């Protein structure tokens, strides 16, 4: 069974292939004989309501000296394709949302879009986790600086972060009474001198178990991979994100990890979120990553897995027996 598989991603020439999960997916698709096509955000269009894209034939190679080659790009009706991997990194801004609208038009005509475009619009990676309060530490999402200060005072120590970000950027650890708290809130909330136009920010009770790592638990069609990547902070850094210098160490899932996955998994399946990364610190879910979750390459290397293979097994099964949405 050979598919046409298109990927929408950030520039492929800038990725680090040893850590890039999208690249792992492309390698697996090519290994299975699927035909690959490449596009970026500027390559999407709607023509009289029909989804089109400027697609370049793509071949990939697991070679850091030259990992891809592109053929001549041409405009093509997306409804002719079998699969689209939506793997654009955050921010989930207006342009990202418009992309999902084009991809949803393709989905209506039977194209498998992973992850589901509607779910990408609906499931902010911080807010969606709050659908499962039984899994989480105390968390507040607010625009009001007074409420956020109250939360920090209530819990003594908290982590503040933007509602839309990735890689640990813009995250602060703060204690009650910290003289820098107002400055942190100004940075996160924005707005003018009258408080207008403020952005939402997230405050979570600080979880000391971050010292043992911020675990990334990957799920395919709601089922967890049996190992997680614990991203362990280094030196004086409290953030475990690999992009912030964290060290990745593979660990078996704990009973608590599996319980969290079981709580979250059915809702992921219902929404068409087929490849998802849960962030778990200690006993607590902190985020649900739906846009472009990573850590495939590290877990594959440490445990001899083929996580992208599991994903493509699911994609190929769906081509025979579509998953109910």
């Amino acid at each position: 069974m050979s598919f046409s598989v298109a990927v929408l991603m950030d520039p492929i020439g800038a990725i680090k292939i040893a850590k890039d999960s999208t690249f792992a997916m492309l390698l697996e698709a090519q290994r299975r004989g699927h035909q690959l096509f490449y596009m970026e955000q500027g390559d999407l269009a709607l023509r009289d309501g029909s989804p089109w894209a400027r697609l370049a034939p793509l071949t990939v190679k697991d070679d850091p000296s030259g990992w891809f080659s592109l053929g001549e790009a041409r405009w093509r009706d997306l409804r002719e394709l079998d699969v689209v991997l939506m793997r654009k990194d955050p921010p989930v801004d207006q342009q990202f949302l418009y992309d999902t609208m084009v991809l949803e038009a393709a989905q209506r005509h039977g194209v498998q879009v992973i992850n589901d475009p509607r779910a990408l619009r609906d499931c902010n990676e911080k807010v969606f986790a709050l659908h499962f309060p039984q899994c989480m530490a105390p968390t507040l999402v607010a625009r009001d600086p007074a409420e956020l200060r109250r939360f920090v005072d209530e819990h003594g120590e908290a982590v503040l972060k933007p509602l839309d970000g990735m890689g640990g950027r813009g995250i602060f650890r703060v204690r009650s009474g910290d003289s820098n708290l107002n400055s942190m809130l100004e940075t996160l909330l924005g707005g003018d001198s009258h408080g207008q136009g403020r952005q939402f920010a997230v405050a979570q009770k600080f979880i000391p178990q971050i010292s043992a790592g911020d675990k990334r638990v990957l799920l395919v069609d709601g089922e967890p991979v049996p190992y997680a990547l614990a991203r362990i902070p280094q030196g004086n850094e409290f953030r475990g994100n690999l992009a912030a210098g964290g060290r990745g160490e593979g660990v078996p899932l704990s009973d608590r990890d599996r319980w969290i996955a079981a709580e979250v998994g059915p809702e992921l399946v219902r929404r068409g979120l087929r490849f998802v990364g849960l962030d778990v610190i200690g006993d607590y879910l902190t985020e649900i990553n739906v846009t472009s979750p990573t850590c495939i390459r590290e877990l594959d290397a440490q445990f001899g897995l083929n996580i992208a293979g599991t994903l493509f097994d699911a994609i190929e099964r769906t081509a025979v027996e579509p998953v109910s949405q």
Side-chain angles (χ1 to χ4, degrees):
M1 185 185 304
S2 179
F3 293 162
S4 52
V5 179
V7 63
L8 174 58
M9 62 185 291
D10 292 298
I12 193 170
I15 66 174
K16 297 178 180 177
I17 65 171
K19 298 184 176 183
D20 195 279
S21 290
T22 304
F23 188 69
M25 296 176 189
L26 295 174
L27 285 172
E28 179 63 18
Q30 181 175 272
R31 187 187 70 79
R32 292 175 180 233
H34 301 320
Q35 187 178 13
L36 298 181
F37 295 95
Y38 171 83
M39 56 179 161
E40 297 178 16
Q41 279 193 298
D43 296 320
L44 286 175
L46 283 169
R47 297 184 180 182
D48 300 321
S50 299
W52 283 69
R54 185 168 46 207
L55 299 174
L58 170 67
T59 57
V60 289
K61 182 170 57 172
D62 201 359
D63 181 351
S65 67
W67 56 91
F68 73 100
S69 61
L70 295 173
E72 182 179 356
R74 66 178 183 88
W75 286 97
R76 183 169 171 180
D77 191 330
L78 275 177
R79 295 173 296 182
E80 299 173 359
L81 300 181
D82 298 304
V83 177
V84 174
L85 302 173
M86 174 49 161
R87 294 285 300 173
K88 174 70 180 68
D89 285 344
V92 179
D93 54 15
Q94 282 189 323
Q95 299 310 311
F96 186 105
L97 297 180
Y98 298 151
D99 292 340
T100 67
M101 295 174 188
V102 178
L103 296 179
E104 188 174 6
Q107 184 187 56
R108 286 196 296 269
H109 290 273
V111 180
Q112 288 194 63
V113 181
I114 299 160
N115 282 317
D116 183 282
R118 293 163 296 180
L120 291 176
R121 291 199 297 272
D122 291 345
C123 299
N124 173 275
E125 299 186 326
K126 277 75 171 176
V127 175
F128 183 40
L130 290 166
H131 283 62
F132 309 96
Q134 72 274 22
C135 302
M136 299 190 68
T139 302
L140 171 70
V141 178
R143 287 191 178 103
D144 185 343
E147 273 299 289
L148 291 162
R149 283 193 293 268
R150 182 200 60 74
F151 182 93
V152 174
D153 288 341
E154 177 185 351
H155 295 287
E157 190 169 7
V159 171
L160 305 175
K161 51 190 173 181
L163 202 58
D164 190 3
M166 61 172 290
R169 292 191 292 270
I171 297 179
F172 301 95
R173 176 180 174 183
V174 62
R175 293 178 174 84
S176 178
D178 192 318
S179 61
N180 290 312
L181 177 56
N182 286 341
S183 179
M184 294 176 192
L185 292 175
E186 288 170 7
T187 299
L188 286 170
L189 299 175
D192 60 24
S193 59
H194 302 290
Q196 300 301 310
R198 289 196 182 112
Q199 306 168 107
F200 275 113
V202 182
Q204 287 183 331
K205 182 179 178 180
F206 178 71
I207 305 168
Q209 291 87 347
I210 184 62
S211 60
D214 179 355
K215 287 186 284 189
R216 169 61 54 84
V217 179
L218 296 176
L219 291 87
V220 177
D221 280 354
E223 293 295 323
V225 173
Y227 299 92
L229 192 73
R231 296 159 297 170
I232 301 171
Q234 300 297 292
N236 294 324
E237 178 61 72
F238 78 93
R239 297 171 298 174
N241 309 74
L242 300 181
R247 176 175 60 84
E249 179 180 312
V251 295
L253 296 191
S254 68
D255 289 343
R256 176 71 176 187
D257 297 334
R258 292 182 182 278
W259 177 80
I260 291 172
E263 292 288 298
V264 175
E267 183 65 9
L268 302 181
V269 172
R270 189 184 74 81
R271 291 176 179 263
L273 290 166
R274 306 193 61 186
F275 184 71
V276 170
L278 309 182
D279 287 350
V280 177
I281 301 175
D283 289 336
Y284 300 106
L285 174 69
T286 61
E287 294 184 15
I288 301 178
N289 297 274
V290 302
T291 52
S292 55
T294 189
C295 296
I296 285 180
R297 296 282 271 174
E298 295 90 341
L299 288 171
D300 281 357
Q302 291 188 40
F303 297 106
L305 305 175
N306 181 5
I307 298 168
T310 302
L311 175 62
F312 270 90
D313 285 345
I315 290 170
E316 291 171 3
R317 282 195 302 270
T318 302
V320 179
E321 298 181 7
V323 175
S324 61
Q325 298 283 324

